[in-house]
Amino acid sequence: MPNLKDLKNRIESVKSTRKITKAMQMVAAAKLRRAQEAAEEGRPYAERMNAVVTNLAGGMDLNEDSPKLLIGRERVNTVLLIVATSERGLCGGFNSSIVKLAKMKIAELVSAGNTVKIYTIGKKGREQLSREFGSYFFKHFDLSSIKNLSYEVALSISKDILLGFNREEFDSALLFFSRFQSVLVQNPTEHRLIPASFDGIEAKKSSYEYEPEKDEILEELLPQAITTQVFTALLENAASEQGARMSAMDNATRNAGEMIEKLTIKYNRSRQAAITNELIEIISGAEAL
C-alpha cells in the first residue's frame, strides 16, 4: 500500500509544477503575440527587397565579373551552415527539428566530398550539434543578452558571414531556421543565403535604365538583402519558438492535471483502505474480548 504522506507530497509537487507550466504558457502567449506581429510586419519588406534584387539580376547578362554574392564561385568546396535556434529550452521539438534538418544536410554534403563549417545562432543548437560536429564549428552568435531582436543583430551576423565569404573561408552558405505558420505548426526551413536565393520571386527583364550600372547597384544591395533575409529568419524563429513553447506548456499543464486526478484517486483509495484496516482491527479486538 502506498504511503499516504508520500502520495500527498507528490500531489502537492505536481500542483506546483502545474502552476509553473501554466504561468510559462501565459508568458509565451504574450510574447507570441508580439513576435508574430513582428514577423508578419517584416515579411512585406523582405519580399519587396527580394523582388527588387531579383528583377535587377534578371535584367543582367551574368558573367564572371558579376557580384560573387549573386553568381557564387565556380567551384563549391566549403559550405557554411548557419543554424538558428533558441537560447532556452522547454519549447517542444522546436530546436531539435531545426538541428535534425541541419544534420541531414551535413551528412549529404560530407558524403558528396564537401567541407562543412557551422555557424550557430542560439545556445540550444550549439549544444546539440557539438556532440557530433564540434570540429566543424566556425563561429557562434550569443543571443542570451539580447532582449529584443533588432536589425542591428542581423547586421552583426551578416557582417560575420560576408567577412568570411570575402576571405574565401567558405564558398556558399545555407541558413536553417523555423518558419512560423501557427501556434501548432512551425516549419523547419533550409534557405540558400550565398549565392543569393530569393524564394517565390520570378526574375523579370527590366525595361528601366539604371544609373549607376546594375552590377554596381547590386554590389550595394546584395549585402543589405542578405541582412534582411537573416533578420526575417530571426523574426520567424522568435515567433516559432514562442508558439512551440506555448503549445508545449499547454500540454504539460494538461498532463499535470490528469496526473493530479489519478494521484488523488489513488490517495483516496489508500486512505479508505487504511481506515478500513483500522476498523477491522478495532472490531477484531472487541470480539476477542
Side-chain angles (χ1 to χ4, degrees):
M1 184 185 299
N3 186 297
L4 289 176
K5 186 177 180 181
D6 290 343
L7 280 172
K8 192 171 183 180
N9 288 339
R10 193 173 178 195
I11 290 171
E12 292 302 319
S13 175
V14 176
K15 283 182 177 178
S16 298
T17 302
R18 183 173 64 174
K19 287 180 182 178
I20 295 170
T21 56
K22 184 65 176 177
M24 291 184 67
Q25 178 189 351
M26 294 173 67
V27 171
K31 289 184 176 180
L32 171 62
R33 188 163 52 249
R34 293 193 296 269
Q36 184 177 353
E37 288 173 358
E40 290 174 350
E41 288 171 1
R43 287 172 186 169
Y45 178 80
E47 290 170 1
R48 187 58 183 164
M49 171 67 84
N50 292 348
V52 169
V53 176
T54 304
N55 289 335
L56 270 170
M60 289 178 58
D61 295 322
L62 300 179
N63 53 57
E64 60 181 13
D65 295 324
S66 299
K68 295 299 181 186
L69 287 174
L70 180 64
I71 63 172
R73 295 203 171 95
E74 187 176 350
R75 295 184 62 185
V76 176
N77 297 319
T78 304
V79 182
L80 179 69
L81 272 59
I82 305 146
V83 184
T85 54
S86 69
E87 286 289 328
R88 299 174 182 83
L90 298 177
C91 48
F94 167 74
N95 291 308
S96 57
S97 60
I98 298 172
V99 171
K100 182 180 179 182
L101 184 63
K103 284 182 176 179
M104 291 171 59
K105 192 64 180 182
I106 291 170
E108 178 187 327
L109 291 168
V110 170
S111 64
N114 295 105
T115 299
V116 173
K117 294 184 178 182
I118 301 174
Y119 186 118
T120 52
I121 304 171
K123 182 175 72 175
K124 290 300 176 180
R126 183 176 181 82
E127 287 177 352
Q128 293 187 36
L129 288 168
S130 63
R131 299 166 193 165
E132 297 178 56
F133 308 106
S135 60
Y136 293 178
F137 282 176
F138 175 69
K139 277 187 179 181
H140 173 71
F141 192 87
D142 186 6
L143 294 173
S144 60
S145 61
I146 297 170
K147 302 224 182 243
N148 296 310
L149 287 172
S150 62
Y151 188 80
E152 284 69 29
V153 175
L155 186 61
S156 298
I157 294 170
S158 65
K159 281 181 178 178
D160 281 345
I161 296 167
L162 293 171
L163 184 62
F165 181 74
N166 292 332
R167 289 177 175 174
E168 299 188 3
E169 295 176 341
F170 55 88
D171 304 309
S172 68
L174 301 172
L175 177 61
F176 293 85
F177 65 99
S178 187
R179 195 179 297 278
F180 180 79
Q181 183 173 333
S182 68
V183 174
L184 297 177
V185 182
Q186 301 88 36
N187 299 313
T189 303
E190 172 191 329
H191 175 74
R192 195 182 75 210
L193 203 61
I194 301 174
S197 172
F198 304 101
D199 298 334
I201 306 292
E202 293 184 3
K204 299 177 181 179
K205 288 288 184 181
S206 174
S207 59
Y208 296 108
E209 292 185 4
Y210 292 92
E211 180 66 33
E213 294 299 321
K214 293 179 182 179
D215 55 351
E216 294 180 46
I217 299 174
L218 281 173
E219 286 282 3
E220 185 70 25
L221 278 184
L222 281 170
Q224 295 182 31
I226 288 173
T227 303
T228 301
Q229 290 179 343
V230 171
F231 185 44
T232 301
L234 293 178
L235 293 177
E236 295 282 346
N237 243 21
S240 296
E241 178 191 350
Q242 298 305 330
R245 181 170 289 111
M246 180 179 169
S247 179
M249 291 302 100
D250 179 53
N251 290 335
T253 303
R254 289 169 187 255
N255 291 339
E258 291 174 4
M259 185 176 290
I260 290 168
E261 288 178 8
K262 291 178 181 178
L263 288 171
T264 302
I265 292 171
K266 194 173 183 179
Y267 173 80
N268 290 336
R269 285 177 178 172
S270 298
R271 183 169 175 272
Q272 186 63 49
I275 294 170
T276 303
N277 286 337
E278 288 177 5
L279 288 172
I280 290 172
E281 289 174 1
I282 292 170
I283 293 169
S284 299
E287 289 178 350
L289 295 174

